[in-house]
Amino acid sequence: MTEVVCGVIRDGSGRILACRRGLDRHLGGLWEFPGGKVNARESAEEALARELMEELGIVVTVGEKFDQVVLWKDDRVSIRLSAFWCETTEGKPEAIEHAEIRWCDLSDLVALDWAEADLPILRELLAPTLEADLRGS
C-alpha cells in the first residue's frame, strides 16, 4: 500500500483549491486535492510540502491533519491517503501537473466530479457546513 498525502489549501476568502487530473493520467479528468506519494525517510508533512511545490509551484505551511484516513484501491493502485490543511506562504498556485485548478466556495465543491479516494475528505470538509444547514432548517 502506497502512502499518499494531499493538501486542503484555503485562501484568504475561505475558498478551497480543487485540482483536475490530466486526461492522460490514471483517473484523468477527475478532481482531487493536490498532493502525492510519501517517499522513504520523508514525513507526511515534508512529502506534502514537496509535492505542492512540484505540482503547483507554491510553498506551504502544512497544518492540522484531517481525522479521515482513506484506504482505497482499484486495479492499478492501492493507497492510504491522509489530508492536511495547508496555507500558501509563497507563490500563486499554477496548474503545472494538472489540467485545471479552481478556487471554490464550499458549496461549489460538490458539483465537481471527484476522484473516489478524495470523497471521504470532501465529506469531512463539508460536515460542519452540512450540520449548520440542518440545524437552520
Side-chain angles (χ1 to χ4, degrees), residues 68-137:
Q68 188 68 246
V69 174
V70 181
L71 303 177
W72 185 83
K73 69 178 184 172
D74 67 6
D75 60 339
R76 292 181 60 186
V77 298
S78 176
I79 65 169
R80 182 177 190 274
L81 175 63
S82 299
F84 295 82
W85 283 106
C86 293
E87 289 188 31
T88 304
T89 57
E90 286 182 40
K92 180 180 174 188
E94 298 177 43
I96 297 169
E97 292 190 10
H98 289 91
E100 179 183 355
I101 61 174
R102 185 184 300 175
W103 288 106
C104 298
D105 291 322
L106 289 177
S107 59
D108 297 329
L109 292 172
V110 296
L112 301 177
D113 189 11
W114 286 88
E116 189 176 335
D118 288 66
L119 289 175
I121 295 161
L122 181 63
R123 281 189 209 91
E124 184 176 339
L125 176 63
L126 296 175
T129 302
L130 296 173
E131 188 175 310
D133 287 350
L134 290 173
R135 279 195 301 252
S137 54

Side-chain angles (χ1 to χ4, degrees), residues 6-10 16-17 33-34 66 83-87 121 125:
C6 68
V8 178
I9 305 169
R10 188 172 32 197
I16 303 295
L17 187 66
F33 297 109
F66 277 57
F84 295 82
W85 283 106
C86 293
E87 289 188 31
I121 295 161
L125 176 63

